[in-house]
């Protein structure tokens, strides 16, 4: 029986390694199946919703929205989500010529990341208007 358990364990580990090889974002995907919906013409965090049931997508019917899988295991700084704002100018495609502006901006969430609280906008969104308070 133990040899059967060991063989199953080895098969599971091999399967996981295969997933990691074929999906570069495997370690970020998570297990909760959280989705994020954004208004395609929105700004300042308006209209952004996180949800964990695809049936909730119907709330956005009739609106132009972007729907994507939420990164459930983001990189964190001090336990908080962040984003980097970089400005670049592409002046040619062949050869590719990209100029990067020297300054950048880092925005942090006001509250520590907690996937158990998907309604907590200040845990998941870095928008300044959301995190003012």
């Amino acid at each position: 029986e133990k040899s059967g358990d060991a063989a199953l364990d080895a098969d599971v580990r091999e399967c996981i390694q295969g997933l990691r090889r074929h999906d570069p974002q495997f370690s970020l995907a998570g297990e909760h199946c959280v989705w994020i919906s954004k208004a395609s013409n929105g700004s300042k965090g308006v209209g952004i919703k996180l949800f964990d049931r695809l049936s909730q997508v119907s709330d956005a019917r009739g609106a132009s929205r972007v729907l994507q899988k939420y990164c459930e295991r983001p990189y964190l700084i001090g336990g908080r989500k962040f984003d980097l704002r970089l400005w670049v100018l592409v002046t040619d495609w062949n050869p590719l010529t990209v100029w990067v502006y020297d300054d950048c901006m880092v925005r942090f969430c006001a509250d520590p990341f907690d996937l158990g609280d998907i309604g907590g906008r200040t845990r998941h969104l870095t928008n300044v208007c959301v995190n003012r308070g």
Side-chain angles (χ1 to χ4, degrees), residues 1 5 14 23 62 67:
E1 186 85 16
D5 289 344
E14 182 181 334
D23 182 0
L67 174 68

Side-chain angles (χ1 to χ4, degrees), residues 97-114:
T97 307
V98 180
W99 300 85
V100 181
Y101 187 68
D102 287 338
D103 293 333
C104 68
M105 181 172 61
V106 181
R107 301 184 310 175
F108 290 90
C109 286
D111 294 316
F113 177 76
D114 179 1

Side-chain angles (χ1 to χ4, degrees), residues 3 8 10 16 18-19 21 23 41 45 53 69 72 88 92 96 110-111 119 127:
S3 63
L8 178 61
I16 290 172
L19 288 170
R21 277 192 305 274
D23 182 0
N41 61 350
R53 290 190 313 270
K69 178 74 172 80
E72 296 180 18
V88 300
D92 202 346
L96 182 60
D111 294 316
N127 304 67

Side-chain angles (χ1 to χ4, degrees), residues 22-41:
H22 296 292
D23 182 0
Q25 295 186 341
F26 177 79
S27 64
L28 300 175
E31 303 159 354
H32 300 280
C33 199
V34 177
W35 295 82
I36 186 166
S37 172
K38 304 174 186 180
S40 63
N41 61 350

Side-chain angles (χ1 to χ4, degrees), residues 65-82:
R65 304 194 65 77
V66 174
L67 174 68
Q68 66 190 63
K69 178 74 172 80
Y70 185 65
C71 180
E72 296 180 18
R73 295 182 188 147
Y75 294 117
L76 303 173
I77 296 177
R80 287 174 163 73
K81 282 186 64 179
F82 65 96

